[in-house]
Amino acid sequence: MTEFWLISAPGEKTCQQTWDKMMAATMRANNLSTNHKFSIPDLKVGTLDVLVGLSDELAKLDSFVESVVKKVAQYMADVLEDSRDKVQENLLANGVDLVTYITRFQWDMAKYPIKQSLKNISEIISKQVTQIDNDLKARASAYNNLKGNLQNLERKNAGSLLTRSLADIVKKEDFVVDSEYLITLLVVVPKTAYTDWQKAYETLAEMVVPRSSNRLFEDNDSGLFSVTLFRKAIDDFKHKARENKFTVRDFQYNEEEMKADKEEMTRLSTDKKKQFGPLVRWLKVNFSEAFIAWIHIKALRVFVESVLRYGLPVNFQAMLLQPNKKTMKKLREVLNDLYKHLDSSAAAIMDSGMDIPGLNLSQQEYYPYVYYKIDCNLLDFKV
């Protein structure tokens, strides 16, 4: 399980007592979760009005930053393409895996100085993550264009003989070039019709050069044959070929064009390789930055919500629970029993499953204790 429940409860005589009680209820008796203390520094409280406004702002910021964290993670998976199993090892925060970072969370004083007001700290995070989001859009757009152009060229050079580029198949010596009267056509013939072609091609029009057909290339379904004829017989030959289920490719040998195509393919392929390393490095660094910012927002939310719910002076214990999947329901019940005295209305809602008008609970989970979920399943697929 890479889901965590970040909760807080008011300090009893001491915060350690609050912690011990929760540990006794969830671990010692029935091992419902793995628990860690979650350390939040002494932040500046500010006024009640500011806290109430900040509570809403932080909720929106939390959603936004989570979406950016997921976007960066998902784009890392897209860029790594065939090495998707390597994605998880690149999704680190401060150089450690996400579970380790969360369970050993330490506030970053350098990035988010606690002498600043809560509002300022949230604005620093907002600016920082908005910048990451904008940079990601620009970098992804440039890389995706490059990748798309390369894929289009690769598609042109693969696939059926009826549609694929022939530049890497044919050579100059396969063609009669610069003749006023003669022209070489390329014809796609199904494998099952090779014999019919050999028998028929000289008679499909009046002015076909005898024994001028050669098989130049073959794939699973068909072969590419050349045939030389007089220019004036082209229309007649194409018409008869169609009747016999032979497809004349619309192709003129042009060395310059074919060379330009190959050079474009090489250029795009080289550009993609050049951009790949720096892009992956940027994604790793900025995933870490965004994820760290996200967990700091969770810490801010716990702090603000705990002060609003439990009052001043600041006295609460923040705790990080990693539930066991099979016992999540039971863990909820145990926490509810432990803390229902903190907020009887929330406990009643939980017990009855009802919705009370005016309390906007349908959009968010509300419990007698402060609660936020941290879900580290950031990718759409299993790696």
Side-chain angles (χ1 to χ4, degrees):
M1 279 289 285
T2 46
E3 180 180 307
F4 292 90
W5 295 358
L6 181 53
I7 70 167
S8 87
E12 310 220 355
K13 284 185 182 141
T14 63
C15 287
Q16 183 61 36
Q17 234 176 336
T18 306
W19 168 256
D20 292 341
K21 254 191 176 175
M22 190 277 296
M23 286 293 280
T26 61
M27 285 219 23
R28 292 181 197 123
N30 36 22
N31 203 19
L32 298 175
S33 57
T34 308
N35 306 327
H36 306 266
K37 282 184 180 176
F38 190 84
S39 106
I40 299 173
D42 295 330
L43 298 165
K44 280 191 165 183
V45 176
T47 66
L48 187 63
D49 281 358
V50 169
L51 288 181
V52 170
L54 203 54
S55 178
D56 286 344
E57 281 169 35
L58 285 171
K60 289 175 195 150
L61 188 56
D62 189 346
S63 299
F64 167 65
V65 177
E66 182 179 4
S67 76
V68 174
V69 168
K70 285 183 171 169
K71 266 193 266 183
V72 178
Q74 196 56 51
Y75 194 61
M76 173 101 75
D78 295 347
V79 169
L80 288 173
E81 292 176 57
D82 304 332
S83 322
R84 285 192 153 199
D85 52 332
K86 301 268 192 304
V87 178
Q88 217 65 54
E89 67 196 51
N90 284 300
L91 297 179
L92 304 174
N94 248 359
V96 297
D97 66 85
L98 306 185
V99 169
T100 304
Y101 178 77
I102 294 169
T103 53
R104 297 184 189 163
F105 175 75
Q106 291 293 319
W107 186 274
D108 190 326
M109 302 287 184
K111 273 199 189 98
Y112 313 116
I114 58 171
K115 290 196 172 111
Q116 301 256 13
S117 70
L118 295 174
K119 192 161 178 55
N120 280 3
I121 295 171
S122 78
E123 279 167 5
I124 292 169
I125 294 175
S126 178
K127 275 185 194 149
Q128 178 199 5
V129 178
T130 301
Q131 187 62 53
I132 291 173
D133 192 35
N134 292 337
D135 286 355
L136 177 66
K137 282 173 193 156
R139 285 167 189 267
S141 170
Y143 189 75
N144 290 351
N145 282 341
L146 189 60
K147 196 163 122 181
N149 291 339
L150 185 59
Q151 280 169 342
N152 287 340
L153 274 182
E154 283 168 347
R155 266 198 295 274
K156 271 171 72 179
N157 287 323
S160 142
L161 278 170
L162 295 168
T163 54
R164 66 170 288 175
S165 163
L166 302 176
D168 58 339
I169 291 174
V170 297
K171 303 179 191 71
K172 190 171 186 178
E173 53 265 33
D174 297 329
F175 295 83
V176 173
V177 184
D178 302 330
S179 164
E180 195 180 333
Y181 300 107
L182 292 172
I183 187 168
T184 301
L185 297 180
L186 298 177
V187 186
V188 179
V189 178
K191 272 189 173 173
T192 51
Y194 282 4
T195 312
D196 297 345
W197 167 256
Q198 293 298 348
K199 282 183 192 161
Y201 79 88
E202 292 177 5
T203 60
L204 291 177
E206 284 191 341
M207 303 173 110
V208 178
V209 176
R211 292 198 295 284
S212 65
S213 178
N214 291 306
R215 190 172 80 209
L216 308 179
F217 187 82
E218 185 175 65
D219 66 12
N220 292 336
D221 308 309
S222 46
L224 184 72
F225 289 81
S226 62
V227 58
T228 302
L229 57 145
F230 279 78
R231 287 178 182 275
K232 59 168 77 170
I234 289 176
D235 289 344
D236 199 20
F237 183 87
K238 282 183 175 175
H239 179 67
K240 285 279 170 36
R242 216 172 16 250
E243 283 180 357
N244 283 273
K245 308 244 178 343
F246 308 137
T247 307
V248 179
R249 282 288 305 262
D250 189 14
F251 181 87
Q252 281 185 318
Y253 186 82
N254 182 323
E255 213 155 4
E256 292 305 308
E257 262 180 41
M258 283 159 61
K259 191 176 163 203
D261 270 5
K262 278 183 184 165
E263 282 171 358
E264 176 69 354
M265 183 100 164
T266 308
R267 185 185 70 75
L268 289 172
S269 186
T270 308
D271 278 1
K272 187 184 169 199
K273 279 181 193 142
K274 263 192 206 159
Q275 284 193 25
F276 176 81
L279 179 59
V280 170
R281 278 194 296 281
W282 184 90
L283 288 165
K284 282 172 74 166
V285 167
N286 286 278
F287 172 81
S288 174
E289 291 294 306
F291 190 85
I292 289 167
W294 187 39
I295 304 306
H296 278 75
I297 289 167
K298 296 289 187 192
L300 282 177
R301 291 190 77 186
V302 169
F303 182 84
V304 169
E305 206 58 33
S306 299
V307 173
L308 285 173
R309 286 226 212 163
Y310 311 141
L312 290 169
V314 175
N315 180 27
F316 66 88
Q317 178 65 54
M319 301 167 276
L320 189 71
L321 283 60
Q322 191 173 5
N324 301 321
K325 197 166 192 177
K326 289 176 183 163
T327 55
M328 284 171 93
K329 191 164 182 283
K330 177 70 180 154
L331 178 60
R332 254 319 156 215
E333 288 164 6
V334 165
L335 292 175
N336 193 40
D337 283 345
L338 194 57
Y339 300 125
K340 62 184 172 190
H341 64 281
L342 298 174
D343 185 340
S344 51
S345 62
I349 294 162
M350 274 195 69
D351 290 341
S352 64
M354 66 182 179
D355 210 355
I356 295 177
L359 271 178
N360 188 18
L361 304 179
S362 50
Q363 270 79 41
Q364 60 185 46
E365 296 171 282
Y366 187 84
Y367 300 100
Y369 47 93
V370 171
Y371 160 82
Y372 296 107
K373 184 167 86 170
I374 303 173
D375 189 352
C376 294
N377 295 311
L378 301 170
L379 299 165
D380 294 349
F381 61 90
K382 294 279 173 278
V383 284

